[in-house]
Amino acid sequence: MKKYFILTATLLHFLPLTIFASFIFKPPLLLETIEVDFINKTGDIIEGEYLDIEFMGGKSIAVFDTLLMVVTSNPEALLQVYDTRTLEPLAMLCQQGRAKNEFTNNSIYELSNQTFQRNGDVIVMVRGEGGYVIKEINITASIREGKTIVEGINNKIPYGCGDVYGINNELTKIFVFNNHNYSLNREEFNPPTFSIIDEQDSEVLEIYGRLVDFENKAYSTFWYNNNICKHPTKNIFVQCMNTMDYIHFIDLDNKKYYSIHQNGSPTFDEVYIPNKITNGVYEFDCEHFYESIPAEDYFLVFFTNGDYRKKSIKNGNIKAAELLAFDWSGNYLGGVKMDILAQDYTYDSKNKILYGYRIFDEKIIAYDLSEFVNSFAK
């Protein structure tokens, strides 16, 4: 080993500076990148329809077939279930409390897009307790028995992590985005990573070799904000960047990792992030991908970096966005323009209905995507 080190050091002494740097510094993105073209290609505007549902302090929504699930701030029913056909309530679940089938301190804040069937029952993963706990709620059994039925619990979610998904739709092995990779004294900042964690071991996946060029690295954890979704039945994850025109693909089943990138837009090697602070608030460009929603043969993602939204903002409409569709290999399938941008979305792929929840006025909007999806679906 010592001989190899000395030889390498001797050789490096004579190499050009650019080659020397390549030995020392990793690139900011380690994934193979495929250039694609998806900007400004969307079709007509699709208008939504407001649903006549009332609840207190909604936070998040999820749908599976005819079951619409809503996280609320009602301590007697933090999770409420409605029938999408009649809009009538079917179950009031997850009381505030300390039992296994309860949540403390009104703490449910997220319904995962990971909603699925197990043995014929609909299961939704609910994250709460400050983000440290995920519980599997059996919605079908809960409606049938008239009480909250919890099937699985993982109370070892890492501190400060971002999105968390169960691998193989189970909680015994999870896929985690670690976006707070800094030392306790906040003097050392590292790029975010992914982890695969089970009861015995953990594995770290590095797709970012180093931080991009920041004037102030303290804001790097915000800049890497993203939205992650998982394939409904496979262990394929896509990470859609809020701050760049990139989508990363992580296929754990086939060990395939790559990115797609809008041809001509800034790359990880080119960007420089200045220290822009206005009235004590750090500002950065986040007008790219917004939220992604999975289906079996494709996924949907909101895009806010196209001409449609930019023109809409100039005309006073800050709610406009575009909805793009990609297959799970990264091929662009098509897109439509949306008249209203909500804060949380869920998709009924069977009936091709997209639901959006607006927090500021507590309204749920439904979009019929049948014509759009039928234009590209097999």
Side-chain angles (χ1 to χ4, degrees):
M1 183 68 67
K2 184 176 180 181
K3 182 178 180 180
Y4 177 80
F5 175 78
I6 293 174
L7 176 62
T8 304
T10 304
L11 288 172
L12 285 176
H13 180 72
F14 296 101
L15 289 175
L17 181 60
T18 55
I19 299 179
F20 175 80
S22 69
F23 277 86
I24 303 301
F25 299 108
K26 293 180 180 180
L29 182 64
L30 301 176
L31 301 179
E32 174 190 0
T33 300
I34 302 169
E35 298 296 322
V36 297
D37 187 17
F38 54 78
I39 285 185
N40 300 326
K41 295 181 177 296
T42 53
D44 296 334
I45 297 176
I46 292 182
E47 296 183 351
E49 176 184 352
Y50 290 97
L51 301 187
D52 186 18
I53 296 180
E54 294 185 0
F55 43 80
M56 181 176 67
K59 299 178 181 179
S60 181
I61 60 174
V63 69
F64 193 96
D65 198 358
T66 60
L67 300 176
L68 177 63
M69 294 148 277
V70 182
V71 169
T72 77
S73 58
N74 182 352
E76 298 300 319
L78 298 173
L79 178 61
Q80 303 180 12
V81 185
Y82 296 85
D83 188 322
T84 59
R85 298 163 298 185
T86 65
L87 304 183
E88 293 296 321
L90 297 175
M92 299 289 149
L93 309 174
C94 299
Q95 287 184 233
Q96 182 175 315
R98 296 187 175 276
K100 175 184 176 181
N101 63 349
E102 297 174 334
F103 286 82
T104 62
N105 300 322
N106 196 14
S107 65
I108 297 181
Y109 73 90
E110 182 179 47
L111 279 176
S112 171
N113 274 324
Q114 194 169 4
T115 306
F116 53 91
Q117 276 189 311
R118 179 189 294 151
N119 300 323
D121 288 354
V122 175
I123 309 293
V124 63
M125 292 191 178
V126 179
R127 190 173 178 185
E129 315 294 356
Y132 299 114
V133 175
I134 295 181
K135 297 183 180 182
E136 293 177 340
I137 310 298
N138 187 322
I139 301 298
T140 307
S142 297
I143 294 173
R144 182 172 58 242
E145 299 185 26
K147 61 180 180 179
T148 305
I149 304 298
V150 174
E151 291 207 342
I153 299 177
N154 189 317
N155 57 6
K156 297 180 180 179
I157 307 302
Y159 167 77
C161 67
D163 290 333
V164 180
Y165 284 92
I167 295 175
N168 297 322
N169 288 338
E170 301 283 350
L171 281 179
T172 53
K173 193 173 186 179
I174 57 175
F175 180 79
V176 177
F177 179 60
N178 309 300
N179 198 25
H180 287 74
N181 286 358
Y182 48 76
S183 59
L184 291 177
N185 58 12
R186 300 207 173 194
E187 292 182 357
E188 180 182 353
F189 294 87
N190 300 300
T193 61
F194 293 92
S195 294
I196 300 171
I197 304 173
D198 60 24
E199 296 175 349
Q200 286 79 35
D201 201 4
S202 65
E203 175 186 354
V204 175
L205 298 178
E206 295 183 354
I207 72 168
Y208 301 108
R210 59 176 172 83
L211 292 177
V212 297
D213 194 3
F214 285 91
E215 183 177 349
N216 187 341
K217 292 183 179 180
Y219 300 107
S220 61
T221 56
F222 303 105
W223 189 84
Y224 281 90
N225 280 346
N226 62 86
N227 185 267
I228 298 174
C229 72
K230 177 191 177 295
H231 188 282
T233 57
K234 303 174 184 177
N235 295 311
I236 304 175
F237 302 85
V238 294
Q239 181 186 42
C240 304
M241 297 290 295
N242 295 159
T243 52
M244 299 190 76
D245 295 329
Y246 276 90
I247 300 178
H248 307 317
F249 290 76
I250 301 173
D251 183 348
L252 298 182
D253 294 333
N254 298 295
K255 305 297 182 185
K256 294 174 61 177
Y257 316 102
Y258 58 94
S259 295
I260 63 171
H261 169 252
Q262 171 59 42
N263 186 29
S265 69
T267 68
F268 275 84
D269 295 306
E270 298 171 340
V271 296
Y272 169 75
I273 313 302
N275 187 14
K276 297 187 295 183
I277 299 180
T278 303
N279 297 325
V281 178
Y282 178 64
E283 297 180 353
F284 55 89
D285 176 18
C286 60
E287 294 294 327
H288 295 267
F289 292 108
Y290 178 60
E291 182 170 355
S292 53
I293 311 108
E296 185 67 28
D297 298 319
Y298 54 92
F299 65 92
L300 306 170
V301 59
F302 283 88
F303 187 65
T304 55
N305 194 36
D307 289 345
Y308 169 64
R309 176 165 172 83
K310 293 175 181 178
K311 291 178 181 178
S312 297
I313 290 176
K314 287 182 179 180
N315 294 329
N317 179 13
I318 63 173
K319 303 173 184 177
E322 292 173 285
L323 183 68
L324 311 183
F326 295 86
D327 66 22
W328 291 96
S329 296
N331 298 302
Y332 175 66
L333 302 175
V336 290
K337 299 177 178 67
M338 310 291 286
D339 61 334
I340 297 175
L341 188 64
Q343 282 68 53
D344 191 42
Y345 287 93
T346 184
Y347 180 55
D348 173 8
S349 59
K350 179 179 179 180
N351 298 295
K352 302 180 178 62
I353 303 294
L354 177 72
Y355 297 90
Y357 177 64
R358 301 199 312 184
I359 294 176
F360 65 91
D361 61 2
E362 299 186 336
K363 298 290 186 181
I364 293 181
I365 313 165
Y367 294 88
D368 186 349
L369 299 185
S370 299
E371 184 176 349
F372 168 51
V373 173
N374 290 339
S375 69
F376 64 78
K378 296 179 181 179

